[in-house]
Amino acid sequence: MGIRFILMVNKQGQTRLAQYYEYLTLEERRALEGEIVRKCLARTEQQCSFVEHRNYKIVYRRYASLFFLVGVDNEENELAILEFIHLLVETMDQHFGNVCELDIMFHLEKAHFMLEEMVMNGCIVETSKSNILMPIQLMDKTS
Amino acid sequence: MGSQGGFGQSKEFLDLVKSIGETRSKSEEDRIILREIETIKRRILEPDIPRRKMKEYIIRLVYVEMLGHDASFGYIHAVKMAHDENLLHKRTGYLAVTLFLNEDHDLIILIVNTIQKDLKSDNYLVVFSALNAVCRLINEETIPAVLPQVVELLGHQKEAVRKKAIMTLHRFYQKSPSTVSHLISNFRKKLSDNDSGVMGASLYPLFDLITIDVKSYKDLVASFIKLLKILGLLGNGDKHASGQMYNVVGDLIRKCDASSNIGNAVLYECICCVASIYPSTKLLEATAEVIAKFLKNDNHNLKYMGIDVLGRLIKLSPDVTEQHQLAVIDCLEDLDDTLKRKTFELLHKMTKSSNVEVIVDGMIDYMTSINDFHYKIEIASRCVELAEQFAPSNHWFILTMNRIFEHAGDIVDIKVAHNLMRLIAKGFGGDHESADSQLRSYAVESYLHIVTEPKLPSAFLQVICWVLGEFGTADGNYSASNISGKLRDVAEAYSSDETVKAYAITALTKIYAFEITSGRKMDILPECQSLFEELAASRSADLQQRAYEFRTVVHLEAHAVKSIMPFDVSCEDIEVDITLPFLNSYVQQSLQNGAQPYIPEEQRSGTIDISNISNQVSRESSMHALKFEAYELPKLPAPSRPPLPVSNISTELVPVPEQSYSIREANTYPSIPSVSTSGPPELKLRLEGIQKKWGRPSYSSSPPSSSGVSPSTASEISQVESAASLSSRPQDNYKDLKKAEVKIAPEKQKLAASLFGDSSKSNKTTGTRHNTSRSDTLSIDKSTGSRSSVAPCCRDENSSSTTS
């Protein structure tokens, strides 16, 4: 329900972060990622940020060299998801300071933790940056 | 700043990440990853790896999996890591576990214990990670294990914990609604919780619940996007609730800042809400303004939303779209695929008979141009729908259907083909004969042209063959030999497709039949003959049958053919009178000649009602799934023997098994004891007459005619042996019991002794099985327990000896 998966893919089509909220096998994931990335990368700036794929929608947004893709059910509000992507980026920015692709790669688990705080079970549960970052900062302090 | 690795990461890790980042091609990446897998495999098996290193390995494994390679050898290490004391490590372990495993994986069992412990932990961060993991990994079986703790956590101090607990419960609910149904009240309470986060979170499960049962949640009104959705649902069709919402929604529309994305998102949601609730003119006007703004905006996203919304409003106020025609057309022409699709959807909703031709043509063009399989099916079926509903003329309809089939024939549902056939047969709304026949002749004509084209989709061919068969000769324009020749060509050309061949032959049969009925003598073309020869020897039974049918029909006289294959009755139902009246005279005759009348099964004497037993069996086996209550204590034997239950079996020989089964069934009779034996009403083992299992085998005479052989015993037995031998061989049991009841002649005794004696040793295992299983059940010390040892042995061994 809600969000099916969240992907971060760079311009060459390599996956940098993948979080699935429904189970797919490795082969399915590869196939899916390949298809979607090809579709999104081929689109221009002028076109819609929403792509329909099979029976769900993909909302994507490009930040520098990284594409953020979110697969959602048909009933979701697309603009809201777009906002969510932006929120995600802003949160990571606040934590890492001028986040870039390498940041995510080097701190993959932190990125996941942040995502975990924000989305649970396919639904967006937290939208306040301070709330999201609080547990992560605590963890950094203790370890 | 992040280009330096964080603390605690080895050079190897940095290298890995850098090299992944720098790869230019997939194969290079693959190579690196495979090398990485080898390295990790070796390292991870080393003993005494420091925790930090282990954590790093796990993260590397996550990378590996993310890039599409299997890393299952590392799963178990991730599970172990989740046990770790250190919070960061623990969380990493959990993360890895959630990424690697899914709810069906075997390793889940290992994790459940850890999760349980962590849920009770004092450190709420730990609780976080545990809850996260629970959400992702839980499945129906493991829910009960963690449910109580999660419910407790709903009352936790920290609101974040509460929020997560709610989501977890939501997940449980999704997995198996029954386990969480008693917690619905909790959800509602959480809605009014102080913290808005918790409030927001509880909306999600509520939303789900509401979609199922709208009425009970009507008292919820507030303002968030999700809530707006709920509002939409609640107000749907209900005037009163909608009235309450008007103000709120109206305010929202006015206040929302249209320049920001999120503002627009809210606006969009408002409009959707408005669309689904009971209409009010004021709101509609407001929404029309908003839509205008959306559509004119250059931003494609907004155009998309605008069109979506137009689609929704179309039903409420069709004139809204008039104003925006130009904008809509623009979107249609746009190169943007998504926008086009949305516009088509809008057009689909807008279709009336005036614009249907244009729209459907446009859709078909689009359909031919797209490659996406799923979407093609959708569009094709929509086209068909529209064509059927709004076709302005037969001519156009046939044309369109032909086009659709040509391009999308194979992927369209076969039902569509059948619908088309039916439509052609019945005609549109059954008014004029002439219109119908016109439709048909037009169809026939067009098909005759098309049928020569190569590579038509199978469904289409089926339709063609059928139509040609039914109506090909109807209007007399084409000779039968012409059509049959064409049909034969089809069968030849598509010889691999059996359905098409079947259709073709049947069509040929029909043509010839009609020719014969109308009195025109037909010579069968030699090619058709050879086709039939070929098919009569075909490996498919279906084709063979049809070939033989043809041959038979052709040789019958006109009158017979007419009754078998009347013209144009494809849409009439075939009525079958199940009493088969036409055989009545035959039956009368036979009765007079001394044949016995037919007795329906229920009235036949002397047989067990087998259906009864099979019901029993199924009920027994269903009752044997996981009993949680303790077995009933055995009932004391009642002093007097209640009258035998009247079963529908008339013989006295059979009351026993019947009784036992009917006892289980109705449960109204007290357990009927063996009163014939003067057993004291205590419960103890009765050992007289029991066959010693571990001594010298001998057949002990069971006490005579204890027809009460304890139906209770039988009931115990049936309990024990459930779906096993007993129930599967009711007939045998019946026979055996009968044998036991009747006075046993000495020769038989000897025979029995030899039989039993021989087989008792070999069947000791089965016997012991019975014994142990009996001892497991509490009903051992039934006074008639002794007999039960005899009876199953008798039965089992006997049946096994009969079968062996």
Side-chain angles (χ1 to χ4, degrees), chain A residues 60-89:
Chain A
Y60 71 91
R61 201 151 179 186
R62 180 166 161 251
Y63 288 86
S65 64
L66 204 56
F67 279 84
F68 287 76
L69 301 106
V70 180
V72 294
D73 286 332
N74 271 322
E75 290 85 35
E76 281 290 325
N77 184 335
E78 295 92 346
L79 286 178
I81 300 290
L82 216 48
E83 274 305 296
F84 162 71
I85 296 181
H86 192 66
L87 175 72
L88 179 60
V89 172

Side-chain angles (χ1 to χ4, degrees), chain A residues 1-2 8 10 12-24 26-27 29-30 33 39 43 45-55 57 60-61 74-84 86 96-98 100-114 116-127 131 134-140 142-143, chain B residues 1-7 9 13-14 17-18 20-21 23-26 29-30 55 59 62-63 65-71 86-88 91-92 95 98-102 124-125 128 131-132 135-136 158 163-164 167-168 170-171 174 197 201 204 207-208 225-226 229 261-262 264-266 268-269 298 300-302 304-305 308 335-339 341-342 345 372 374-375:
Chain A
M1 98 133 233
M8 292 188 206
N10 76 351
Q12 275 86 35
Q14 298 167 321
T15 316
R16 293 294 169 229
L17 183 144
Q19 178 84 288
Y20 285 84
Y21 293 100
E22 52 170 11
Y23 181 62
L24 294 172
L26 271 180
E27 293 82 33
R29 285 187 208 182
R30 271 185 104 151
E33 284 171 26
K39 267 194 191 173
R43 292 169 79 82
E45 276 297 313
Q46 291 307 313
Q47 293 173 317
C48 265
S49 297
F50 322 125
V51 179
E52 284 175 29
H53 179 85
R54 299 207 194 147
N55 58 339
K57 295 189 277 212
Y60 71 91
R61 201 151 179 186
N74 271 322
E75 290 85 35
E76 281 290 325
N77 184 335
E78 295 92 346
L79 286 178
I81 300 290
L82 216 48
E83 274 305 296
F84 162 71
H86 192 66
F96 292 114
N98 271 335
C100 65
E101 190 182 333
L102 280 177
D103 278 321
I104 301 181
M105 289 175 70
F106 279 119
H107 300 279
L108 187 59
E109 78 276 11
K110 295 246 180 64
H112 270 277
F113 291 155
M114 265 186 265
E116 259 181 14
E117 296 293 324
M118 282 200 267
V119 181
M120 234 176 129
N121 197 19
C123 313
I124 304 176
V125 290
E126 184 62 71
T127 46
N131 281 353
M134 188 254 303
I136 305 191
Q137 281 156 355
L138 278 177
M139 269 200 304
D140 280 346
T142 56
S143 56
Chain B
M1 220 227 58
S3 40
Q4 279 88 359
F7 51 85
Q9 278 162 339
F13 184 67
L14 296 180
V17 175
K18 255 202 293 194
I20 295 182
T23 58
R24 289 279 152 240
S25 72
K26 188 87 183 130
E29 191 185 283
D30 283 343
K55 166 170 149 306
I59 298 184
V62 170
Y63 257 107
E65 282 245 329
M66 189 168 72
L67 295 168
H69 297 260
D70 183 62
N86 179 319
L87 177 63
L88 190 55
R91 193 127 189 211
T92 317
L95 173 69
T98 52
L99 286 173
F100 289 156
L101 303 179
N102 67 319
Y124 67 88
L125 291 176
F128 271 11
L131 278 174
N132 275 332
C135 241
R136 303 282 293 277
K158 272 259 172 237
K163 197 164 47 161
K164 287 191 193 271
M167 289 316 299
T168 325
H170 181 206
R171 172 73 170 201
Q174 280 180 336
Y204 285 111
F207 182 64
D208 266 358
I225 288 191
K226 203 69 181 177
K229 277 214 172 86
N261 249 345
I262 191 68
N264 285 335
V266 177
Y268 170 67
E269 203 51 51
D298 278 334
H300 272 227
N301 293 346
L302 290 179
Y304 179 88
M305 307 301 258
D308 194 306
L335 292 171
D336 188 349
D337 210 40
T338 322
L339 213 46
R341 283 195 201 179
K342 259 298 162 167
E345 273 178 42
D372 186 359
H374 292 256
Y375 199 58

Side-chain angles (χ1 to χ4, degrees), chain B residues 198-210:
Chain B
V198 181
M199 224 191 343
S202 60
L203 286 175
Y204 285 111
L206 277 173
F207 182 64
D208 266 358
L209 290 170
I210 287 176

Side-chain angles (χ1 to χ4, degrees), chain B residues 744-757:
Chain B
I744 301 173
E747 302 94 2
K748 280 197 184 158
Q749 264 188 342
K750 282 205 196 102
L751 176 61
S754 58
L755 278 177
F756 281 22

Side-chain angles (χ1 to χ4, degrees), chain B residues 322-338:
Chain B
E322 302 282 326
Q323 306 165 358
H324 305 286
Q325 288 179 58
L326 282 175
V328 172
I329 302 285
D330 274 337
C331 294
L332 195 57
E333 309 291 309
D334 202 299
L335 292 171
D336 188 349
D337 210 40
T338 322

Side-chain angles (χ1 to χ4, degrees), chain B residues 226-241:
Chain B
K226 203 69 181 177
L227 279 166
L228 280 173
K229 277 214 172 86
I230 297 184
L231 284 179
L233 274 176
L234 290 174
N236 197 353
D238 179 341
K239 187 154 194 225
H240 179 63

